[in-house]
Short mmCIF file of all heavy atoms in Angstrom, two decimals:
data_model
loop_
_atom_site.label_atom_id
_atom_site.label_comp_id
_atom_site.label_asym_id
_atom_site.label_seq_id
_atom_site.Cartn_x
_atom_site.Cartn_y
_atom_site.Cartn_z
N SER A 1 162.90 20.29 22.99
CA SER A 1 162.46 20.61 24.35
C SER A 1 162.77 19.44 25.28
O SER A 1 162.83 18.28 24.85
CB SER A 1 160.96 20.89 24.37
OG SER A 1 160.23 19.70 24.19
N PRO A 2 162.96 19.71 26.58
CA PRO A 2 163.21 18.62 27.54
C PRO A 2 162.10 17.57 27.53
O PRO A 2 162.38 16.38 27.69
CB PRO A 2 163.29 19.35 28.88
CG PRO A 2 163.71 20.74 28.53
CD PRO A 2 163.05 21.03 27.22
N ALA A 3 160.86 17.99 27.33
CA ALA A 3 159.75 17.04 27.30
C ALA A 3 159.85 16.11 26.11
O ALA A 3 159.58 14.91 26.21
CB ALA A 3 158.42 17.79 27.27
N THR A 4 160.26 16.64 24.95
CA THR A 4 160.42 15.80 23.76
C THR A 4 161.55 14.80 23.96
O THR A 4 161.43 13.62 23.62
CB THR A 4 160.70 16.67 22.52
OG1 THR A 4 159.60 17.57 22.32
CG2 THR A 4 160.88 15.81 21.28
N VAL A 5 162.66 15.28 24.52
CA VAL A 5 163.79 14.39 24.80
C VAL A 5 163.37 13.28 25.76
O VAL A 5 163.69 12.10 25.55
CB VAL A 5 164.98 15.18 25.38
CG1 VAL A 5 166.06 14.24 25.89
CG2 VAL A 5 165.55 16.12 24.33
N GLN A 6 162.63 13.63 26.80
CA GLN A 6 162.16 12.62 27.75
C GLN A 6 161.28 11.59 27.05
O GLN A 6 161.38 10.39 27.30
CB GLN A 6 161.39 13.27 28.89
CG GLN A 6 160.94 12.24 29.95
CD GLN A 6 159.88 12.78 30.87
OE1 GLN A 6 158.98 13.52 30.44
NE2 GLN A 6 159.95 12.43 32.14
N GLY A 7 160.41 12.06 26.15
CA GLY A 7 159.55 11.15 25.41
C GLY A 7 160.35 10.17 24.57
O GLY A 7 160.03 8.98 24.51
N TYR A 8 161.41 10.66 23.93
CA TYR A 8 162.27 9.78 23.14
C TYR A 8 162.98 8.76 24.04
O TYR A 8 163.11 7.58 23.67
CB TYR A 8 163.32 10.61 22.39
CG TYR A 8 162.78 11.39 21.22
CD1 TYR A 8 163.53 12.42 20.64
CD2 TYR A 8 161.52 11.13 20.69
CE1 TYR A 8 163.04 13.14 19.56
CE2 TYR A 8 161.03 11.85 19.61
CZ TYR A 8 161.79 12.86 19.06
OH TYR A 8 161.31 13.57 17.99
N GLU A 9 163.44 9.21 25.20
CA GLU A 9 164.12 8.30 26.11
C GLU A 9 163.18 7.21 26.63
O GLU A 9 163.59 6.06 26.82
CB GLU A 9 164.74 9.08 27.26
CG GLU A 9 165.91 9.96 26.82
CD GLU A 9 166.41 10.89 27.92
OE1 GLU A 9 165.64 11.16 28.87
OE2 GLU A 9 167.57 11.33 27.83
N VAL A 10 161.92 7.55 26.85
CA VAL A 10 160.94 6.55 27.29
C VAL A 10 160.72 5.51 26.19
O VAL A 10 160.65 4.31 26.47
CB VAL A 10 159.60 7.24 27.65
CG1 VAL A 10 158.50 6.21 27.84
CG2 VAL A 10 159.77 8.07 28.92
N ILE A 11 160.63 5.96 24.95
CA ILE A 11 160.48 5.02 23.83
C ILE A 11 161.68 4.09 23.75
O ILE A 11 161.55 2.87 23.59
CB ILE A 11 160.30 5.78 22.50
CG1 ILE A 11 158.97 6.55 22.51
CG2 ILE A 11 160.35 4.83 21.31
CD1 ILE A 11 158.81 7.53 21.36
N GLU A 12 162.88 4.66 23.91
CA GLU A 12 164.12 3.87 23.82
C GLU A 12 164.17 2.83 24.93
O GLU A 12 164.64 1.71 24.73
CB GLU A 12 165.33 4.81 23.88
CG GLU A 12 166.65 4.12 23.57
CD GLU A 12 167.43 3.82 24.84
OE1 GLU A 12 167.49 4.70 25.72
OE2 GLU A 12 167.96 2.71 24.94
N ARG A 13 163.65 3.15 26.10
CA ARG A 13 163.66 2.20 27.22
C ARG A 13 162.62 1.09 27.05
O ARG A 13 162.83 -0.03 27.50
CB ARG A 13 163.41 2.92 28.55
CG ARG A 13 164.57 3.76 29.04
CD ARG A 13 164.42 4.07 30.51
NE ARG A 13 163.19 4.80 30.80
CZ ARG A 13 163.08 6.13 30.80
NH1 ARG A 13 164.14 6.88 30.53
NH2 ARG A 13 161.95 6.72 31.08
N ASN A 14 161.50 1.43 26.40
CA ASN A 14 160.36 0.51 26.40
C ASN A 14 160.14 -0.26 25.11
O ASN A 14 159.28 -1.15 25.07
CB ASN A 14 159.07 1.28 26.73
CG ASN A 14 159.08 1.87 28.12
OD1 ASN A 14 159.77 1.38 29.00
ND2 ASN A 14 158.33 2.93 28.33
N PHE A 15 160.90 0.05 24.05
CA PHE A 15 160.55 -0.53 22.76
C PHE A 15 160.90 -2.02 22.68
O PHE A 15 160.27 -2.78 21.97
CB PHE A 15 161.24 0.23 21.62
CG PHE A 15 160.56 0.02 20.31
CD1 PHE A 15 159.49 0.82 19.93
CD2 PHE A 15 160.96 -0.99 19.46
CE1 PHE A 15 158.84 0.62 18.73
CE2 PHE A 15 160.33 -1.21 18.24
CZ PHE A 15 159.26 -0.39 17.88
N GLY A 16 161.93 -2.46 23.38
CA GLY A 16 162.22 -3.89 23.39
C GLY A 16 163.52 -4.27 22.70
O GLY A 16 164.31 -3.43 22.27
N ASP A 17 163.72 -5.57 22.56
CA ASP A 17 164.98 -6.11 22.05
C ASP A 17 165.23 -5.77 20.58
O ASP A 17 166.37 -5.87 20.12
CB ASP A 17 165.02 -7.63 22.23
CG ASP A 17 165.04 -8.03 23.70
OD1 ASP A 17 165.43 -7.19 24.53
OD2 ASP A 17 164.66 -9.18 24.01
N PHE A 18 164.19 -5.39 19.85
CA PHE A 18 164.39 -5.06 18.43
C PHE A 18 165.41 -3.94 18.26
O PHE A 18 166.09 -3.85 17.23
CB PHE A 18 163.05 -4.65 17.80
CG PHE A 18 163.16 -4.23 16.36
CD1 PHE A 18 163.33 -5.16 15.36
CD2 PHE A 18 163.11 -2.88 16.01
CE1 PHE A 18 163.44 -4.78 14.03
CE2 PHE A 18 163.22 -2.48 14.69
CZ PHE A 18 163.39 -3.44 13.69
N LEU A 19 165.54 -3.09 19.28
CA LEU A 19 166.46 -1.96 19.18
C LEU A 19 167.92 -2.42 19.13
O LEU A 19 168.79 -1.63 18.76
CB LEU A 19 166.27 -1.01 20.37
CG LEU A 19 164.90 -0.33 20.47
CD1 LEU A 19 164.93 0.72 21.58
CD2 LEU A 19 164.49 0.31 19.16
N ASP A 20 168.18 -3.66 19.45
CA ASP A 20 169.55 -4.17 19.39
C ASP A 20 169.90 -4.72 18.00
O ASP A 20 170.98 -5.28 17.80
CB ASP A 20 169.75 -5.26 20.44
CG ASP A 20 169.60 -4.70 21.86
OD1 ASP A 20 170.10 -3.58 22.10
OD2 ASP A 20 168.97 -5.36 22.70
N THR A 21 168.99 -4.53 17.03
CA THR A 21 169.24 -4.94 15.66
C THR A 21 170.15 -3.93 14.97
O THR A 21 169.89 -2.72 15.06
CB THR A 21 167.92 -5.03 14.88
OG1 THR A 21 167.00 -5.88 15.56
CG2 THR A 21 168.15 -5.54 13.46
N PRO A 22 171.20 -4.36 14.26
CA PRO A 22 172.00 -3.41 13.47
C PRO A 22 171.10 -2.74 12.42
O PRO A 22 170.28 -3.41 11.79
CB PRO A 22 173.05 -4.30 12.81
CG PRO A 22 173.15 -5.48 13.72
CD PRO A 22 171.78 -5.71 14.24
N ILE A 23 171.27 -1.45 12.26
CA ILE A 23 170.36 -0.74 11.35
C ILE A 23 170.49 -1.22 9.92
O ILE A 23 169.56 -1.07 9.12
CB ILE A 23 170.57 0.79 11.45
CG1 ILE A 23 171.99 1.18 11.07
CG2 ILE A 23 170.21 1.30 12.82
CD1 ILE A 23 172.20 2.69 11.07
N SER A 24 171.64 -1.81 9.57
CA SER A 24 171.81 -2.31 8.21
C SER A 24 170.95 -3.54 7.95
O SER A 24 170.72 -3.91 6.79
CB SER A 24 173.28 -2.66 7.96
OG SER A 24 173.71 -3.66 8.87
N LEU A 25 170.46 -4.19 9.02
CA LEU A 25 169.67 -5.41 8.86
C LEU A 25 168.17 -5.17 9.02
O LEU A 25 167.37 -6.11 8.92
CB LEU A 25 170.12 -6.46 9.88
CG LEU A 25 171.59 -6.90 9.80
CD1 LEU A 25 171.88 -7.96 10.86
CD2 LEU A 25 171.93 -7.41 8.40
N ILE A 26 167.76 -3.94 9.28
CA ILE A 26 166.35 -3.64 9.47
C ILE A 26 165.64 -3.63 8.11
O ILE A 26 166.08 -2.99 7.16
CB ILE A 26 166.17 -2.30 10.18
CG1 ILE A 26 166.72 -2.36 11.61
CG2 ILE A 26 164.68 -1.91 10.24
CD1 ILE A 26 166.68 -1.05 12.35
N THR A 27 164.54 -4.36 8.03
CA THR A 27 163.74 -4.41 6.82
C THR A 27 162.34 -3.89 7.12
O THR A 27 161.96 -3.71 8.29
CB THR A 27 163.63 -5.85 6.29
OG1 THR A 27 162.91 -6.65 7.26
CG2 THR A 27 165.01 -6.45 6.06
N CYS A 28 161.57 -3.69 6.07
CA CYS A 28 160.19 -3.24 6.25
C CYS A 28 159.41 -4.26 7.08
O CYS A 28 158.65 -3.89 7.98
CB CYS A 28 159.53 -3.03 4.88
SG CYS A 28 157.82 -2.46 4.99
N LEU A 29 159.61 -5.55 6.80
CA LEU A 29 158.89 -6.59 7.53
C LEU A 29 159.29 -6.63 9.00
O LEU A 29 158.43 -6.71 9.88
CB LEU A 29 159.16 -7.96 6.88
CG LEU A 29 158.51 -9.17 7.57
CD1 LEU A 29 157.00 -9.01 7.62
CD2 LEU A 29 158.90 -10.46 6.87
N SER A 30 160.60 -6.57 9.27
CA SER A 30 161.04 -6.65 10.67
C SER A 30 160.59 -5.43 11.46
O SER A 30 160.19 -5.54 12.63
CB SER A 30 162.56 -6.81 10.75
OG SER A 30 163.23 -5.65 10.27
N LEU A 31 160.63 -4.25 10.83
CA LEU A 31 160.19 -3.04 11.53
C LEU A 31 158.68 -3.07 11.74
O LEU A 31 158.20 -2.68 12.81
CB LEU A 31 160.59 -1.80 10.73
CG LEU A 31 160.19 -0.44 11.33
CD1 LEU A 31 160.71 -0.29 12.75
CD2 LEU A 31 160.70 0.70 10.46
N GLN A 32 157.92 -3.53 10.74
CA GLN A 32 156.47 -3.63 10.90
C GLN A 32 156.12 -4.57 12.04
O GLN A 32 155.24 -4.27 12.86
CB GLN A 32 155.83 -4.11 9.61
CG GLN A 32 154.31 -4.21 9.67
CD GLN A 32 153.65 -2.84 9.74
OE1 GLN A 32 153.65 -2.08 8.79
NE2 GLN A 32 153.06 -2.52 10.89
N THR A 33 156.81 -5.71 12.12
CA THR A 33 156.57 -6.67 13.21
C THR A 33 156.87 -6.05 14.57
O THR A 33 156.12 -6.23 15.54
CB THR A 33 157.42 -7.93 13.00
OG1 THR A 33 157.13 -8.51 11.72
CG2 THR A 33 157.16 -8.95 14.10
N ALA A 34 157.96 -5.30 14.65
CA ALA A 34 158.34 -4.65 15.92
C ALA A 34 157.31 -3.59 16.31
O ALA A 34 156.96 -3.46 17.49
CB ALA A 34 159.72 -4.03 15.79
N ILE A 35 156.82 -2.84 15.33
CA ILE A 35 155.79 -1.83 15.61
C ILE A 35 154.52 -2.51 16.11
O ILE A 35 153.88 -2.04 17.07
CB ILE A 35 155.48 -1.00 14.34
CG1 ILE A 35 156.68 -0.11 13.97
CG2 ILE A 35 154.23 -0.16 14.52
CD1 ILE A 35 156.94 1.02 14.92
N ASN A 36 154.15 -3.63 15.49
CA ASN A 36 152.95 -4.36 15.93
C ASN A 36 153.10 -4.85 17.36
O ASN A 36 152.17 -4.75 18.17
CB ASN A 36 152.70 -5.56 15.00
CG ASN A 36 152.38 -5.14 13.59
OD1 ASN A 36 152.09 -3.98 13.33
ND2 ASN A 36 152.43 -6.09 12.66
N ASP A 37 154.29 -5.39 17.69
CA ASP A 37 154.54 -5.88 19.06
C ASP A 37 154.48 -4.73 20.05
O ASP A 37 153.92 -4.87 21.15
CB ASP A 37 155.90 -6.57 19.13
CG ASP A 37 155.93 -7.88 18.36
OD1 ASP A 37 154.85 -8.41 18.06
OD2 ASP A 37 157.05 -8.36 18.05
N TYR A 38 155.07 -3.60 19.69
CA TYR A 38 155.06 -2.43 20.58
C TYR A 38 153.63 -1.95 20.83
O TYR A 38 153.28 -1.57 21.94
CB TYR A 38 155.90 -1.32 19.96
CG TYR A 38 156.01 -0.07 20.80
CD1 TYR A 38 156.81 -0.03 21.95
CD2 TYR A 38 155.31 1.10 20.45
CE1 TYR A 38 156.91 1.12 22.72
CE2 TYR A 38 155.41 2.25 21.22
CZ TYR A 38 156.21 2.25 22.35
OH TYR A 38 156.29 3.40 23.11
N ALA A 39 152.82 -1.99 19.79
CA ALA A 39 151.43 -1.52 19.91
C ALA A 39 150.64 -2.37 20.90
O ALA A 39 149.73 -1.87 21.57
CB ALA A 39 150.75 -1.54 18.55
N GLN A 40 150.99 -3.65 21.02
CA GLN A 40 150.24 -4.55 21.90
C GLN A 40 150.83 -4.68 23.30
O GLN A 40 150.29 -5.41 24.13
CB GLN A 40 150.17 -5.94 21.25
CG GLN A 40 149.44 -5.97 19.92
CD GLN A 40 148.00 -5.48 20.04
OE1 GLN A 40 147.30 -5.82 21.00
NE2 GLN A 40 147.56 -4.67 19.08
N SER A 41 151.93 -3.98 23.58
CA SER A 41 152.65 -4.19 24.84
C SER A 41 152.52 -3.02 25.80
O SER A 41 153.50 -2.62 26.42
CB SER A 41 154.13 -4.46 24.55
OG SER A 41 154.72 -3.34 23.89
N GLY A 42 151.30 -2.50 25.92
CA GLY A 42 151.09 -1.40 26.85
C GLY A 42 151.05 -1.87 28.30
O GLY A 42 151.25 -3.05 28.60
N GLU A 43 150.76 -0.95 29.19
CA GLU A 43 150.70 -1.29 30.62
C GLU A 43 149.51 -2.20 30.89
O GLU A 43 148.45 -2.08 30.28
CB GLU A 43 150.60 -0.02 31.46
CG GLU A 43 151.85 0.86 31.40
CD GLU A 43 151.73 2.08 32.29
OE1 GLU A 43 150.68 2.23 32.95
OE2 GLU A 43 152.68 2.87 32.32
N LYS A 44 149.69 -3.13 31.80
CA LYS A 44 148.65 -4.08 32.22
C LYS A 44 148.10 -4.85 31.02
O LYS A 44 146.89 -5.13 30.93
CB LYS A 44 147.52 -3.35 32.95
CG LYS A 44 147.98 -2.65 34.23
CD LYS A 44 146.83 -1.95 34.92
CE LYS A 44 147.32 -1.26 36.20
NZ LYS A 44 146.22 -0.53 36.89
N ASP A 45 149.02 -5.17 30.07
CA ASP A 45 148.68 -5.97 28.89
C ASP A 45 147.60 -5.33 28.02
O ASP A 45 146.90 -6.03 27.28
CB ASP A 45 148.21 -7.37 29.32
CG ASP A 45 149.32 -8.15 30.01
OD1 ASP A 45 150.49 -7.97 29.61
OD2 ASP A 45 149.01 -8.92 30.94
#
């Protein structure tokens, strides 16, 4: 649905520099760290 696509695009815009990691180099630790950072980076801190 267009709403789901928009939601994905918002995530892609807001997730941060981790998205520039080659997928072959992504590990459980690096992804967990990125998820933790994303969880703490909402609006107005």
Side-chain angles (χ1 to χ4, degrees):
S1 72
T4 300
V5 170
Q6 183 196 38
Y8 287 165
E9 291 172 338
V10 169
I11 294 169
E12 189 258 317
R13 287 198 301 270
N14 296 334
F15 201 86
D17 294 339
F18 177 75
L19 297 188
D20 296 320
T21 306
I23 60 176
S24 60
L25 301 181
I26 295 175
T27 65
C28 180
L29 178 59
S30 66
L31 180 55
Q32 182 69 70
T33 303
I35 291 290
N36 295 347
D37 291 342
Y38 182 74
Q40 298 302 318
S41 61
E43 294 182 0
K44 298 180 180 179
D45 296 326

